[in-house]
Amino acid sequence: MGRFDGGSNPPYPIIMGTARVRKILKILRRTYPGASWGKRKGRTTDPFQILILTILSAQTTDNAVDRVKERLFSEFPDPASLAAAQIGSIEEIVHSLGFFRAKARHIREAASMLQERFRGEVPSRMEELLQLPGVGRKTANIVLHHAFGRCEGIAVDTHVKRLAGRIGLSDSSSQSGIERDLMKLVPRRLWGDITDLLIAHGRRICTARQPRCPECPIAHLCRYYLDASDKVRSEE
DNA sequence: ATCCCGAGGG
DNA sequence: CCCTCTGGAT
């Protein structure tokens, strides 16, 4: 008997069923009530700030980004001032985030492109967002959701990638494959929240190195945990 | 596949 | 010391 919905033959279906995914999402939403962007307090609603902060967040903790944003936007509050800034003064502010040269260049050029190509406004279409330097599919999905409340896809970051693999939501190793699997599994109205929920869970419980499965509220639905406990059982 | 890059955790 | 953190461009 298969362990997953509709299961049976091969040991593990490629992807688990939607029923189990809904259970997981329900538990995560109850566990992390403040995780969704829409419910977060003190969040920026300015699309320009959301864009810049999301570009800067690559390979960095959000905590680190929080520490530089006040100074950054106090000196460069809009596309015009950022586009005109000295590259060195931007580098100095974002230095602690890592990749500081690339990030400084990206946000200045992005600001410049907003001015020249998009009338100083952050575009609200995927195709246009992807034209901005430093903006890939993940960043575009986040900006679309957080700034405009729209979801054309699901943002796959390092947490989403790790958890999707562990839980058994996707067996793909590429972000596009994972996004495609998640889009099939997750109801569209939750496409925006799923990323925030998996990130929250990835930070607190399902960490990269030593996942705290004993504290995990979805362990009984997780392939990684179930496989591990199978192994332990068979060794006893 | 590799580079960009710094800070914090274990 | 090594790994990881809301990736993207080449």
Side-chain angles (χ1 to χ4, degrees), chain A residues 59-60 134 136 138-139 158-159 162 203:
Chain A
Q59 294 296 117
T60 313
K138 178 262 173 182
T139 300
T158 176
H159 289 298
R162 182 180 69 253
R203 280 213 195 109

PDB file of all heavy atoms in Angstrom, chain A residues 59-60 134 136 138-139 158-159 162 203, chain C:
ATOM      1  N   GLN A  59      20.696  35.628  -1.298  1.00  0.00           N
ATOM      2  CA  GLN A  59      21.745  34.976  -0.517  1.00  0.00           C
ATOM      3  C   GLN A  59      22.083  35.734   0.757  1.00  0.00           C
ATOM      4  O   GLN A  59      23.250  35.858   1.126  1.00  0.00           O
ATOM      5  CB  GLN A  59      23.011  34.826  -1.375  1.00  0.00           C
ATOM      6  CG  GLN A  59      22.841  33.901  -2.540  1.00  0.00           C
ATOM      7  CD  GLN A  59      22.560  32.480  -2.106  1.00  0.00           C
ATOM      8  OE1 GLN A  59      21.525  31.945  -2.373  1.00  0.00           O
ATOM      9  NE2 GLN A  59      23.491  31.852  -1.418  1.00  0.00           N
ATOM     10  N   THR A  60      21.076  36.257   1.401  1.00  0.00           N
ATOM     11  CA  THR A  60      21.279  37.026   2.624  1.00  0.00           C
ATOM     12  C   THR A  60      20.089  36.822   3.548  1.00  0.00           C
ATOM     13  O   THR A  60      19.013  36.496   3.081  1.00  0.00           O
ATOM     14  CB  THR A  60      21.374  38.529   2.310  1.00  0.00           C
ATOM     15  OG1 THR A  60      22.249  38.717   1.221  1.00  0.00           O
ATOM     16  CG2 THR A  60      21.871  39.301   3.489  1.00  0.00           C
ATOM     17  N   GLY A 134      19.268  42.121 -12.022  1.00  0.00           N
ATOM     18  CA  GLY A 134      19.170  41.588 -10.670  1.00  0.00           C
ATOM     19  C   GLY A 134      17.822  40.967 -10.373  1.00  0.00           C
ATOM     20  O   GLY A 134      17.591  40.490  -9.265  1.00  0.00           O
ATOM     21  N   GLY A 136      15.350  38.024 -11.340  1.00  0.00           N
ATOM     22  CA  GLY A 136      15.071  36.759 -12.009  1.00  0.00           C
ATOM     23  C   GLY A 136      13.660  36.338 -11.670  1.00  0.00           C
ATOM     24  O   GLY A 136      12.873  37.113 -11.119  1.00  0.00           O
ATOM     25  N   LYS A 138      12.462  34.304  -9.425  1.00  0.00           N
ATOM     26  CA  LYS A 138      12.119  34.286  -8.005  1.00  0.00           C
ATOM     27  C   LYS A 138      11.777  35.693  -7.514  1.00  0.00           C
ATOM     28  O   LYS A 138      10.745  35.925  -6.889  1.00  0.00           O
ATOM     29  CB  LYS A 138      13.283  33.703  -7.194  1.00  0.00           C
ATOM     30  CG  LYS A 138      13.052  33.686  -5.682  1.00  0.00           C
ATOM     31  CD  LYS A 138      13.705  34.872  -5.018  1.00  0.00           C
ATOM     32  CE  LYS A 138      13.320  34.938  -3.544  1.00  0.00           C
ATOM     33  NZ  LYS A 138      13.912  36.123  -2.900  1.00  0.00           N
ATOM     34  N   THR A 139      12.670  36.646  -7.805  1.00  0.00           N
ATOM     35  CA  THR A 139      12.459  38.020  -7.365  1.00  0.00           C
ATOM     36  C   THR A 139      11.198  38.612  -7.997  1.00  0.00           C
ATOM     37  O   THR A 139      10.416  39.293  -7.328  1.00  0.00           O
ATOM     38  CB  THR A 139      13.682  38.883  -7.718  1.00  0.00           C
ATOM     39  OG1 THR A 139      14.824  38.330  -7.051  1.00  0.00           O
ATOM     40  CG2 THR A 139      13.495  40.312  -7.277  1.00  0.00           C
ATOM     41  N   THR A 158      15.832  29.359  -1.817  1.00  0.00           N
ATOM     42  CA  THR A 158      16.586  28.242  -1.267  1.00  0.00           C
ATOM     43  C   THR A 158      15.766  27.430  -0.258  1.00  0.00           C
ATOM     44  O   THR A 158      15.871  26.207  -0.202  1.00  0.00           O
ATOM     45  CB  THR A 158      17.899  28.749  -0.616  1.00  0.00           C
ATOM     46  OG1 THR A 158      18.557  27.656  -0.012  1.00  0.00           O
ATOM     47  CG2 THR A 158      17.632  29.827   0.418  1.00  0.00           C
ATOM     48  N   HIS A 159      14.912  28.118   0.527  1.00  0.00           N
ATOM     49  CA  HIS A 159      14.076  27.395   1.485  1.00  0.00           C
ATOM     50  C   HIS A 159      13.015  26.564   0.787  1.00  0.00           C
ATOM     51  O   HIS A 159      12.804  25.395   1.119  1.00  0.00           O
ATOM     52  CB  HIS A 159      13.385  28.377   2.432  1.00  0.00           C
ATOM     53  CG  HIS A 159      14.299  29.018   3.418  1.00  0.00           C
ATOM     54  ND1 HIS A 159      15.004  28.307   4.361  1.00  0.00           N
ATOM     55  CD2 HIS A 159      14.630  30.302   3.620  1.00  0.00           C
ATOM     56  CE1 HIS A 159      15.714  29.137   5.091  1.00  0.00           C
ATOM     57  NE2 HIS A 159      15.519  30.362   4.658  1.00  0.00           N
ATOM     58  N   ARG A 162      14.588  23.513  -0.765  1.00  0.00           N
ATOM     59  CA  ARG A 162      14.951  22.473   0.198  1.00  0.00           C
ATOM     60  C   ARG A 162      13.725  21.756   0.747  1.00  0.00           C
ATOM     61  O   ARG A 162      13.672  20.532   0.807  1.00  0.00           O
ATOM     62  CB  ARG A 162      15.753  23.099   1.346  1.00  0.00           C
ATOM     63  CG  ARG A 162      16.218  22.100   2.395  1.00  0.00           C
ATOM     64  CD  ARG A 162      17.013  22.753   3.511  1.00  0.00           C
ATOM     65  NE  ARG A 162      16.230  23.618   4.364  1.00  0.00           N
ATOM     66  CZ  ARG A 162      16.270  24.936   4.376  1.00  0.00           C
ATOM     67  NH1 ARG A 162      17.084  25.564   3.546  1.00  0.00           N
ATOM     68  NH2 ARG A 162      15.512  25.634   5.180  1.00  0.00           N
ATOM     69  N   ARG A 203      13.000  28.363   8.266  1.00  0.00           N
ATOM     70  CA  ARG A 203      13.821  29.090   9.228  1.00  0.00           C
ATOM     71  C   ARG A 203      13.745  28.473  10.620  1.00  0.00           C
ATOM     72  O   ARG A 203      14.750  28.271  11.277  1.00  0.00           O
ATOM     73  CB  ARG A 203      13.316  30.523   9.342  1.00  0.00           C
ATOM     74  CG  ARG A 203      13.764  31.436   8.262  1.00  0.00           C
ATOM     75  CD  ARG A 203      13.905  32.780   8.923  1.00  0.00           C
ATOM     76  NE  ARG A 203      13.984  33.838   7.954  1.00  0.00           N
ATOM     77  CZ  ARG A 203      13.010  34.702   7.768  1.00  0.00           C
ATOM     78  NH1 ARG A 203      11.877  34.599   8.431  1.00  0.00           N
ATOM     79  NH2 ARG A 203      13.159  35.642   6.922  1.00  0.00           N
TER      80      ARG A 203
ATOM     81  P    DC C   1      41.084  28.313   8.386  1.00  0.00           P
ATOM     82  OP1  DC C   1      42.339  27.794   8.471  1.00  0.00           O
ATOM     83  OP2  DC C   1      40.479  29.587   8.342  1.00  0.00           O
ATOM     84  O5'  DC C   1      39.893  27.242   8.379  1.00  0.00           O
ATOM     85  C5'  DC C   1      40.088  25.910   8.879  1.00  0.00           C
ATOM     86  C4'  DC C   1      38.751  25.276   9.065  1.00  0.00           C
ATOM     87  O4'  DC C   1      38.069  25.924  10.149  1.00  0.00           O
ATOM     88  C3'  DC C   1      37.830  25.432   7.862  1.00  0.00           C
ATOM     89  O3'  DC C   1      37.940  24.299   7.032  1.00  0.00           O
ATOM     90  C2'  DC C   1      36.440  25.475   8.495  1.00  0.00           C
ATOM     91  C1'  DC C   1      36.675  25.712   9.977  1.00  0.00           C
ATOM     92  N1   DC C   1      35.944  26.893  10.535  1.00  0.00           N
ATOM     93  C2   DC C   1      34.608  26.774  10.889  1.00  0.00           C
ATOM     94  O2   DC C   1      34.056  25.689  10.700  1.00  0.00           O
ATOM     95  N3   DC C   1      33.956  27.833  11.415  1.00  0.00           N
ATOM     96  C4   DC C   1      34.594  28.990  11.593  1.00  0.00           C
ATOM     97  N4   DC C   1      33.913  30.001  12.123  1.00  0.00           N
ATOM     98  C5   DC C   1      35.972  29.152  11.243  1.00  0.00           C
ATOM     99  C6   DC C   1      36.588  28.084  10.719  1.00  0.00           C
ATOM    100  P    DC C   2      37.520  24.373   5.479  1.00  0.00           P
ATOM    101  OP1  DC C   2      38.156  23.250   4.757  1.00  0.00           O
ATOM    102  OP2  DC C   2      37.687  25.753   5.003  1.00  0.00           O
ATOM    103  O5'  DC C   2      35.953  24.075   5.593  1.00  0.00           O
ATOM    104  C5'  DC C   2      35.522  22.868   6.214  1.00  0.00           C
ATOM    105  C4'  DC C   2      34.023  22.925   6.422  1.00  0.00           C
ATOM    106  O4'  DC C   2      33.709  23.995   7.353  1.00  0.00           O
ATOM    107  C3'  DC C   2      33.235  23.225   5.132  1.00  0.00           C
ATOM    108  O3'  DC C   2      32.158  22.318   5.042  1.00  0.00           O
ATOM    109  C2'  DC C   2      32.765  24.660   5.319  1.00  0.00           C
ATOM    110  C1'  DC C   2      32.639  24.781   6.832  1.00  0.00           C
ATOM    111  N1   DC C   2      32.773  26.155   7.359  1.00  0.00           N
ATOM    112  C2   DC C   2      31.811  26.643   8.231  1.00  0.00           C
ATOM    113  O2   DC C   2      30.866  25.910   8.541  1.00  0.00           O
ATOM    114  N3   DC C   2      31.931  27.900   8.710  1.00  0.00           N
ATOM    115  C4   DC C   2      32.973  28.669   8.359  1.00  0.00           C
ATOM    116  N4   DC C   2      33.041  29.895   8.859  1.00  0.00           N
ATOM    117  C5   DC C   2      33.976  28.191   7.471  1.00  0.00           C
ATOM    118  C6   DC C   2      33.835  26.944   6.993  1.00  0.00           C
ATOM    119  P    DC C   3      31.305  22.318   3.674  1.00  0.00           P
ATOM    120  OP1  DC C   3      31.058  20.904   3.354  1.00  0.00           O
ATOM    121  OP2  DC C   3      31.895  23.246   2.682  1.00  0.00           O
ATOM    122  O5'  DC C   3      29.942  22.965   4.203  1.00  0.00           O
ATOM    123  C5'  DC C   3      29.360  22.465   5.402  1.00  0.00           C
ATOM    124  C4'  DC C   3      28.166  23.316   5.793  1.00  0.00           C
ATOM    125  O4'  DC C   3      28.620  24.582   6.330  1.00  0.00           O
ATOM    126  C3'  DC C   3      27.219  23.645   4.631  1.00  0.00           C
ATOM    127  O3'  DC C   3      25.902  23.342   5.047  1.00  0.00           O
ATOM    128  C2'  DC C   3      27.433  25.143   4.394  1.00  0.00           C
ATOM    129  C1'  DC C   3      27.860  25.631   5.775  1.00  0.00           C
ATOM    130  N1   DC C   3      28.725  26.835   5.796  1.00  0.00           N
ATOM    131  C2   DC C   3      28.328  27.960   6.513  1.00  0.00           C
ATOM    132  O2   DC C   3      27.254  27.963   7.109  1.00  0.00           O
ATOM    133  N3   DC C   3      29.147  29.046   6.545  1.00  0.00           N
ATOM    134  C4   DC C   3      30.314  29.021   5.895  1.00  0.00           C
ATOM    135  N4   DC C   3      31.089  30.100   5.960  1.00  0.00           N
ATOM    136  C5   DC C   3      30.739  27.881   5.154  1.00  0.00           C
ATOM    137  C6   DC C   3      29.918  26.819   5.125  1.00  0.00           C
ATOM    138  P    DT C   4      24.733  23.264   3.962  1.00  0.00           P
ATOM    139  OP1  DT C   4      23.813  22.207   4.429  1.00  0.00           O
ATOM    140  OP2  DT C   4      25.283  23.250   2.598  1.00  0.00           O
ATOM    141  O5'  DT C   4      24.015  24.673   4.185  1.00  0.00           O
ATOM    142  C5'  DT C   4      23.503  25.000   5.466  1.00  0.00           C
ATOM    143  C4'  DT C   4      23.154  26.466   5.521  1.00  0.00           C
ATOM    144  O4'  DT C   4      24.361  27.248   5.484  1.00  0.00           O
ATOM    145  C3'  DT C   4      22.300  26.963   4.342  1.00  0.00           C
ATOM    146  O3'  DT C   4      21.003  27.273   4.839  1.00  0.00           O
ATOM    147  C2'  DT C   4      23.025  28.213   3.840  1.00  0.00           C
ATOM    148  C1'  DT C   4      24.036  28.506   4.939  1.00  0.00           C
ATOM    149  N1   DT C   4      25.304  29.119   4.505  1.00  0.00           N
ATOM    150  C2   DT C   4      25.666  30.348   5.021  1.00  0.00           C
ATOM    151  O2   DT C   4      24.972  30.958   5.826  1.00  0.00           O
ATOM    152  N3   DT C   4      26.866  30.835   4.580  1.00  0.00           N
ATOM    153  C4   DT C   4      27.730  30.230   3.678  1.00  0.00           C
ATOM    154  O4   DT C   4      28.778  30.773   3.357  1.00  0.00           O
ATOM    155  C5   DT C   4      27.292  28.959   3.166  1.00  0.00           C
ATOM    156  C7   DT C   4      28.149  28.227   2.184  1.00  0.00           C
ATOM    157  C6   DT C   4      26.115  28.463   3.605  1.00  0.00           C
ATOM    158  P    DC C   5      19.920  27.759   3.789  1.00  0.00           P
ATOM    159  OP1  DC C   5      18.655  27.220   4.296  1.00  0.00           O
ATOM    160  OP2  DC C   5      20.319  27.517   2.397  1.00  0.00           O
ATOM    161  O5'  DC C   5      19.943  29.321   4.044  1.00  0.00           O
ATOM    162  C5'  DC C   5      19.783  29.815   5.388  1.00  0.00           C
ATOM    163  C4'  DC C   5      20.028  31.317   5.396  1.00  0.00           C
ATOM    164  O4'  DC C   5      21.392  31.581   5.011  1.00  0.00           O
ATOM    165  C3'  DC C   5      19.144  32.109   4.428  1.00  0.00           C
ATOM    166  O3'  DC C   5      18.675  33.280   5.078  1.00  0.00           O
ATOM    167  C2'  DC C   5      20.104  32.471   3.293  1.00  0.00           C
ATOM    168  C1'  DC C   5      21.423  32.591   4.029  1.00  0.00           C
ATOM    169  N1   DC C   5      22.633  32.352   3.210  1.00  0.00           N
ATOM    170  C2   DC C   5      23.700  33.260   3.303  1.00  0.00           C
ATOM    171  O2   DC C   5      23.597  34.251   4.029  1.00  0.00           O
ATOM    172  N3   DC C   5      24.824  33.025   2.583  1.00  0.00           N
ATOM    173  C4   DC C   5      24.905  31.935   1.804  1.00  0.00           C
ATOM    174  N4   DC C   5      26.034  31.733   1.121  1.00  0.00           N
ATOM    175  C5   DC C   5      23.840  31.010   1.701  1.00  0.00           C
ATOM    176  C6   DC C   5      22.725  31.259   2.415  1.00  0.00           C
ATOM    177  P    DT C   6      17.085  33.533   5.038  1.00  0.00           P
ATOM    178  OP1  DT C   6      16.816  34.902   5.552  1.00  0.00           O
ATOM    179  OP2  DT C   6      16.542  32.364   5.684  1.00  0.00           O
ATOM    180  O5'  DT C   6      16.626  33.399   3.525  1.00  0.00           O
ATOM    181  C5'  DT C   6      16.880  34.358   2.568  1.00  0.00           C
ATOM    182  C4'  DT C   6      16.301  33.821   1.281  1.00  0.00           C
ATOM    183  O4'  DT C   6      14.870  33.841   1.397  1.00  0.00           O
ATOM    184  C3'  DT C   6      16.637  34.639   0.064  1.00  0.00           C
ATOM    185  O3'  DT C   6      16.633  33.786  -1.088  1.00  0.00           O
ATOM    186  C2'  DT C   6      15.529  35.643  -0.019  1.00  0.00           C
ATOM    187  C1'  DT C   6      14.338  34.870   0.568  1.00  0.00           C
ATOM    188  N1   DT C   6      13.477  35.717   1.391  1.00  0.00           N
ATOM    189  C2   DT C   6      12.572  36.542   0.779  1.00  0.00           C
ATOM    190  O2   DT C   6      12.470  36.622  -0.421  1.00  0.00           O
ATOM    191  N3   DT C   6      11.818  37.306   1.620  1.00  0.00           N
ATOM    192  C4   DT C   6      11.843  37.311   2.982  1.00  0.00           C
ATOM    193  O4   DT C   6      11.100  38.040   3.642  1.00  0.00           O
ATOM    194  C5   DT C   6      12.817  36.422   3.585  1.00  0.00           C
ATOM    195  C7   DT C   6      12.921  36.307   5.072  1.00  0.00           C
ATOM    196  C6   DT C   6      13.561  35.679   2.772  1.00  0.00           C
ATOM    197  P    DG C   7      18.095  33.239  -1.598  1.00  0.00           P
ATOM    198  OP1  DG C   7      17.953  31.825  -1.943  1.00  0.00           O
ATOM    199  OP2  DG C   7      19.088  33.651  -0.631  1.00  0.00           O
ATOM    200  O5'  DG C   7      18.355  34.049  -2.939  1.00  0.00           O
ATOM    201  C5'  DG C   7      17.604  33.708  -4.117  1.00  0.00           C
ATOM    202  C4'  DG C   7      17.908  34.745  -5.143  1.00  0.00           C
ATOM    203  O4'  DG C   7      19.330  34.834  -5.269  1.00  0.00           O
ATOM    204  C3'  DG C   7      17.370  34.407  -6.524  1.00  0.00           C
ATOM    205  O3'  DG C   7      16.917  35.613  -7.118  1.00  0.00           O
ATOM    206  C2'  DG C   7      18.541  33.775  -7.234  1.00  0.00           C
ATOM    207  C1'  DG C   7      19.748  34.443  -6.565  1.00  0.00           C
ATOM    208  N9   DG C   7      20.911  33.589  -6.397  1.00  0.00           N
ATOM    209  C8   DG C   7      20.928  32.257  -6.107  1.00  0.00           C
ATOM    210  N7   DG C   7      22.129  31.761  -6.004  1.00  0.00           N
ATOM    211  C5   DG C   7      22.955  32.833  -6.257  1.00  0.00           C
ATOM    212  C6   DG C   7      24.367  32.917  -6.291  1.00  0.00           C
ATOM    213  O6   DG C   7      25.187  32.011  -6.097  1.00  0.00           O
ATOM    214  N1   DG C   7      24.810  34.207  -6.575  1.00  0.00           N
ATOM    215  C2   DG C   7      23.980  35.284  -6.788  1.00  0.00           C
ATOM    216  N2   DG C   7      24.574  36.447  -7.037  1.00  0.00           N
ATOM    217  N3   DG C   7      22.657  35.220  -6.751  1.00  0.00           N
ATOM    218  C4   DG C   7      22.221  33.972  -6.492  1.00  0.00           C
ATOM    219  P    DG C   8      16.464  35.576  -8.655  1.00  0.00           P
ATOM    220  OP1  DG C   8      15.457  36.636  -8.786  1.00  0.00           O
ATOM    221  OP2  DG C   8      16.146  34.203  -9.076  1.00  0.00           O
ATOM    222  O5'  DG C   8      17.770  36.055  -9.419  1.00  0.00           O
ATOM    223  C5'  DG C   8      18.330  37.321  -9.067  1.00  0.00           C
ATOM    224  C4'  DG C   8      19.496  37.652  -9.976  1.00  0.00           C
ATOM    225  O4'  DG C   8      20.616  36.814  -9.628  1.00  0.00           O
ATOM    226  C3'  DG C   8      19.220  37.425 -11.461  1.00  0.00           C
ATOM    227  O3'  DG C   8      19.641  38.586 -12.154  1.00  0.00           O
ATOM    228  C2'  DG C   8      20.040  36.192 -11.819  1.00  0.00           C
ATOM    229  C1'  DG C   8      21.175  36.264 -10.797  1.00  0.00           C
ATOM    230  N9   DG C   8      21.721  34.957 -10.416  1.00  0.00           N
ATOM    231  C8   DG C   8      21.000  33.836 -10.079  1.00  0.00           C
ATOM    232  N7   DG C   8      21.776  32.819  -9.744  1.00  0.00           N
ATOM    233  C5   DG C   8      23.062  33.310  -9.877  1.00  0.00           C
ATOM    234  C6   DG C   8      24.320  32.685  -9.648  1.00  0.00           C
ATOM    235  O6   DG C   8      24.541  31.533  -9.288  1.00  0.00           O
ATOM    236  N1   DG C   8      25.379  33.546  -9.907  1.00  0.00           N
ATOM    237  C2   DG C   8      25.258  34.849 -10.305  1.00  0.00           C
ATOM    238  N2   DG C   8      26.384  35.517 -10.497  1.00  0.00           N
ATOM    239  N3   DG C   8      24.086  35.449 -10.521  1.00  0.00           N
ATOM    240  C4   DG C   8      23.044  34.623 -10.282  1.00  0.00           C
ATOM    241  P    DA C   9      19.548  38.669 -13.743  1.00  0.00           P
ATOM    242  OP1  DA C   9      19.192  40.054 -14.052  1.00  0.00           O
ATOM    243  OP2  DA C   9      18.743  37.548 -14.235  1.00  0.00           O
ATOM    244  O5'  DA C   9      21.064  38.430 -14.189  1.00  0.00           O
ATOM    245  C5'  DA C   9      22.072  39.301 -13.678  1.00  0.00           C
ATOM    246  C4'  DA C   9      23.423  38.927 -14.239  1.00  0.00           C
ATOM    247  O4'  DA C   9      23.869  37.681 -13.661  1.00  0.00           O
ATOM    248  C3'  DA C   9      23.467  38.746 -15.747  1.00  0.00           C
ATOM    249  O3'  DA C   9      24.622  39.395 -16.247  1.00  0.00           O
ATOM    250  C2'  DA C   9      23.524  37.233 -15.935  1.00  0.00           C
ATOM    251  C1'  DA C   9      24.263  36.792 -14.681  1.00  0.00           C
ATOM    252  N9   DA C   9      23.911  35.439 -14.227  1.00  0.00           N
ATOM    253  C8   DA C   9      22.645  34.908 -14.131  1.00  0.00           C
ATOM    254  N7   DA C   9      22.631  33.687 -13.666  1.00  0.00           N
ATOM    255  C5   DA C   9      23.964  33.394 -13.447  1.00  0.00           C
ATOM    256  C6   DA C   9      24.617  32.242 -12.949  1.00  0.00           C
ATOM    257  N6   DA C   9      23.965  31.139 -12.579  1.00  0.00           N
ATOM    258  N1   DA C   9      25.965  32.284 -12.844  1.00  0.00           N
ATOM    259  C2   DA C   9      26.604  33.388 -13.214  1.00  0.00           C
ATOM    260  N3   DA C   9      26.109  34.531 -13.693  1.00  0.00           N
ATOM    261  C4   DA C   9      24.765  34.466 -13.782  1.00  0.00           C
ATOM    262  P    DT C  10      24.891  39.511 -17.781  1.00  0.00           P
ATOM    263  OP1  DT C  10      25.480  40.850 -18.009  1.00  0.00           O
ATOM    264  OP2  DT C  10      23.667  39.093 -18.501  1.00  0.00           O
ATOM    265  O5'  DT C  10      26.011  38.397 -18.043  1.00  0.00           O
ATOM    266  C5'  DT C  10      27.248  38.489 -17.369  1.00  0.00           C
ATOM    267  C4'  DT C  10      28.059  37.222 -17.593  1.00  0.00           C
ATOM    268  O4'  DT C  10      27.467  36.147 -16.836  1.00  0.00           O
ATOM    269  C3'  DT C  10      28.061  36.730 -19.026  1.00  0.00           C
ATOM    270  O3'  DT C  10      29.258  37.154 -19.664  1.00  0.00           O
ATOM    271  C2'  DT C  10      28.023  35.204 -18.916  1.00  0.00           C
ATOM    272  C1'  DT C  10      27.851  34.934 -17.446  1.00  0.00           C
ATOM    273  N1   DT C  10      26.818  33.926 -17.132  1.00  0.00           N
ATOM    274  C2   DT C  10      27.187  32.730 -16.560  1.00  0.00           C
ATOM    275  O2   DT C  10      28.346  32.466 -16.301  1.00  0.00           O
ATOM    276  N3   DT C  10      26.168  31.865 -16.322  1.00  0.00           N
ATOM    277  C4   DT C  10      24.813  32.070 -16.581  1.00  0.00           C
ATOM    278  O4   DT C  10      23.978  31.220 -16.313  1.00  0.00           O
ATOM    279  C5   DT C  10      24.491  33.332 -17.183  1.00  0.00           C
ATOM    280  C7   DT C  10      23.070  33.646 -17.518  1.00  0.00           C
ATOM    281  C6   DT C  10      25.497  34.194 -17.425  1.00  0.00           C
TER     282       DT C  10
END
